[in-house]
Amino acid sequence: GPITYAVDCAMLRTLADLVDESTANLEGYDYARVLQRVEEFFWRFCDDYLELVKGRRYGEQGASAAASANSALVCALSVLLRLFAPFLPFVTEEVWSWWQAGSVHRASWPTRAEIEALLPEQDEAGRASDQATYEWAASVLFEVRKQRSEAKQPLKVPITKVSITADLAQVALMPQVEADLKAALRVLAFECT
């Protein structure tokens, strides 16, 4: 389905930037930089994005919300496997074979255009808003996990209420990501001031 959620769009635009950077660095023979940047993206993708969209992907927010997450995840998996293929040839080939025909090493190199073709047309302000929404969600996710860890509270225990103190611009982003954050953090309610 169409990719419509701000966090999905922001993640894919960041991935498109990574593709451009990786392509330029490979052409400049800076292989170590490519691997470093792809790994950095991958771990943030796993720590933040996957956790944020897990509930939505499984349909907790309806079919269109799940479709947006699924489409973004399929694109990201395809692109990441192709970016990692020069460095992890056997692993990427195996994972590619689970869901794609042929070899990952014969697949075309990912491009910005391939990723952006899946995204809705937006002006610069819309793109900046998507990015701010994603960064806000990731920061809330991090902070609640940190507080939970410091309190030695298991992740499976639901939290009744989380109070967030932030500026008005950040609080205004909360409705776009609240359902994702509730599912990822097992929070029953957020209170923003």
Side-chain angles (χ1 to χ4, degrees):
I3 299 170
T4 56
Y5 277 66
V7 294
D8 301 335
C9 293
M11 181 276 294
L12 289 177
R13 284 195 185 94
T14 303
L15 184 58
D17 292 341
L18 177 65
V19 167
D20 284 348
E21 180 185 344
S22 296
T23 303
N25 284 330
L26 279 174
E27 290 171 353
Y29 304 103
D30 193 353
Y31 308 119
R33 179 73 175 154
V34 174
L35 182 57
Q36 175 194 9
R37 296 289 292 130
V38 173
E39 284 178 337
E40 287 172 1
F41 178 90
F42 176 77
W43 290 116
R44 183 166 185 220
F45 173 81
C46 292
D47 288 345
D48 297 340
Y49 181 76
L50 283 179
E51 290 302 316
L52 277 172
V53 303
K54 197 184 314 181
R56 184 161 43 96
R57 185 260 177 255
Y58 288 122
E60 292 177 6
Q61 297 175 41
S64 64
S68 180
N70 284 331
S71 295
L73 287 165
V74 166
C75 177
L77 177 61
S78 174
V79 170
L80 285 168
L81 284 172
R82 288 179 283 158
L83 289 174
F84 272 126
F87 307 99
L88 301 167
F90 300 111
V91 171
T92 55
E93 184 71 10
E94 177 65 20
V95 174
W96 187 264
S97 75
W98 296 343
W99 69 296
Q100 296 284 350
S103 171
V104 69
H105 304 292
R106 296 191 49 90
S108 62
W109 186 252
T111 64
R112 171 179 287 281
E114 166 191 346
I115 298 167
E116 288 184 342
L118 301 172
L119 298 172
E121 289 293 322
Q122 282 186 312
D123 59 10
E124 196 56 41
R127 292 175 183 192
S129 175
D130 287 351
Q131 188 63 36
T133 302
Y134 181 46
E135 289 173 7
W136 168 249
S139 68
V140 171
L141 187 70
F142 173 81
E143 191 59 39
V144 172
R145 282 181 178 159
K146 178 181 158 195
Q147 295 293 327
R148 187 173 234 168
S149 175
E150 289 172 357
K152 295 184 180 7
Q153 183 184 41
L155 293 175
K156 292 189 179 207
V157 175
I159 300 173
T160 306
K161 180 174 77 174
V162 171
S163 297
I164 298 174
T165 303
D167 64 44
L168 290 176
Q170 291 173 316
V171 170
L173 299 173
M174 198 62 182
Q176 295 180 63
V177 295
E178 187 168 358
D180 284 345
L181 287 167
K182 282 181 175 179
L185 295 167
R186 295 181 178 258
V187 171
L188 302 178
F190 285 98
E191 179 182 273
C192 298
T193 58

